[in-house]
Amino acid sequence: MPGSTLGTGVPETVRAALADRPVEGQVCLEAGAGVGNTTAGLLESGAGRVYAVTDDADHAAAVQRRCGDDDRVDVVRADLRATPLRPDSVELVSAHGLCNLLDPAALEDVAAELTRVAAPGSHLVVDDYDPLPEDAAVRRLFAVENAASELADGRPALTFYPAALLKRVFEGHGWSFDRERTLLDPVPWTESHLSAHTRAACEAAGRLPDDLGAPLERAADRVAADVGAASTGRMYSLAFRWSE
Amino acid sequence: MGIEKIDLYQVHGLEYESELEAITAEDGALAAVRDARDEGLVDHIGLTSHGDPDLIKAAIERIDDLETVMFPLNPVVAAKGDAEHDYEGVLELAEEHDVGTLGIKAFAKGPWPPESERYEEDRPFANWYEPVARPDEIRERFDFAAARGLTSVVSPGDPKLVSMVLDAADRYDGMDEATQRSVVEAARHDDSPVPEQLHH
């Protein structure tokens, strides 16, 4: 197989989600490309082409750096609600850890767009997190992050959709449910995750007037220190087929 | 040594291709070990390495009478997910060739702090790496290594840790794949602070 990205740190969650999907030779789409973990996983599994779609310039640059030498990769800077991809042009769509970043309105629009570009017979993999248990301390950090985001942008930063809900959303767009598997149980929320979420909360709070933002920044720092790294919740993988 | 026979003779510390060639040469170390085996002094032939996984795989392919390989396996190594740390691939190939596997460093936490921070004689454990030392951590590491499919999980050198490892082994009841991935994910992010990620 061509390319310099084979086996470069593909997370086990990605490998487990793709393990029972036909990737070899397929035209694939990583929806919400992050640092390109799924793109790297798709390339490793022999994808014919991978469109890594993200609206974030830093993420696009990161994926380009990581996988750009492989001529099977196209990094596409686009809003996932309206991509430049042609209808019926993709044979495998992966949304790994994407949906929790979408509020319900955006989730609906992105689901419609992913369905539009999917070819007959294609596969869809949606990996995400169940809502955290009521007693999970890390919920407090996400609550501060969401409060800052609601006040700054009018929408939550994070929404953890139950697996059953995402299943119904994509079935509602015509996808046939194939299987569900557990990727992580429990989910490790490490110091690295906590600091990334604290930064995101502070960044949103920083865009607010000082009297609103400053207390939220302090709350984020305090809660993150209180919470500490913990493993809780579940990450799941849903797979669907498109059959007409 | 006061023994009549060595059960398992391991060629230790394979690191370079040239060493593999030297070991497997007509008059190399393996020839001597085979002679010893033919004389009844050695029962089984093995190999150890914490070097390039591809080199260990090459050894498995080239040495027909190799019966065991010993190599590192723990969540931090598994989390690297690249060719340089593909000891899972070694495990897989060893299974295909019916070669036994001994996993070392299953209980390694990381390197010791440098001498400038703590004198070697002040280290609390007689290991050349800093081990995990709490019973729950040791149990998680044992369960992980055993669940990956190793023939043997090798105990850490310090006797203070061995009783906890034996206790973990007594209680072992498998570890499902979602939990194994959870352990790997936790190690992946602990070990690589950049780029920081919001997700798994």
Side-chain angles (χ1 to χ4, degrees), chain B residues 15 59 79 182 184:
Chain B
E15 243 183 282
S182 177
V184 170

Side-chain angles (χ1 to χ4, degrees), chain A residues 127-133 160-164 180-189 231-238, chain B residues 178 182 200:
Chain A
D127 307 330
D128 233 284
Y129 305 92
D130 270 332
L132 289 163
F160 293 114
Y161 296 102
E180 174 177 344
R181 63 172 49 169
T182 297
L183 296 181
L184 295 173
D185 186 9
V187 178
W189 299 101
S231 291
T232 183
R234 184 181 80 108
M235 187 181 197
Y236 56 82
S237 174
L238 303 174
Chain B
S182 177
H200 300 84

Side-chain angles (χ1 to χ4, degrees), chain A residues 156-229:
Chain A
L158 301 165
T159 310
F160 293 114
Y161 296 102
L165 191 146
L166 288 187
K167 174 172 175 280
R168 282 201 287 273
V169 166
F170 286 96
E171 282 178 333
H173 283 272
W175 291 89
S176 302
F177 175 71
D178 190 356
R179 63 103 175 108
E180 174 177 344
R181 63 172 49 169
T182 297
L183 296 181
L184 295 173
D185 186 9
V187 178
W189 299 101
T190 65
E191 295 292 349
S192 168
H193 290 105
L194 296 185
S195 67
H197 282 282
T198 306
R199 267 207 323 281
C202 290
E203 189 274 324
R207 288 185 278 118
L208 290 168
D210 211 35
D211 60 332
L212 271 177
L216 281 167
E217 285 191 41
R218 285 197 299 277
D221 285 335
R222 192 179 60 240
V223 166
D226 279 357
V227 166

Side-chain angles (χ1 to χ4, degrees), chain B residues 52-54 56-57 60 69 71 86-95 101:
Chain B
D52 178 4
D54 281 342
I56 310 177
K57 289 183 208 168
I60 294 172
V69 282
F71 52 90
D86 184 24
Y87 295 105
E88 307 270 340
V90 173
L91 183 60
E92 214 170 289
L93 188 69
E95 277 168 10
T101 50

Side-chain angles (χ1 to χ4, degrees), chain A residues 39-53:
Chain A
T39 293
L42 290 164
L43 294 172
E44 179 186 78
S45 300
R49 172 151 302 279
V50 182
Y51 296 110
V53 181

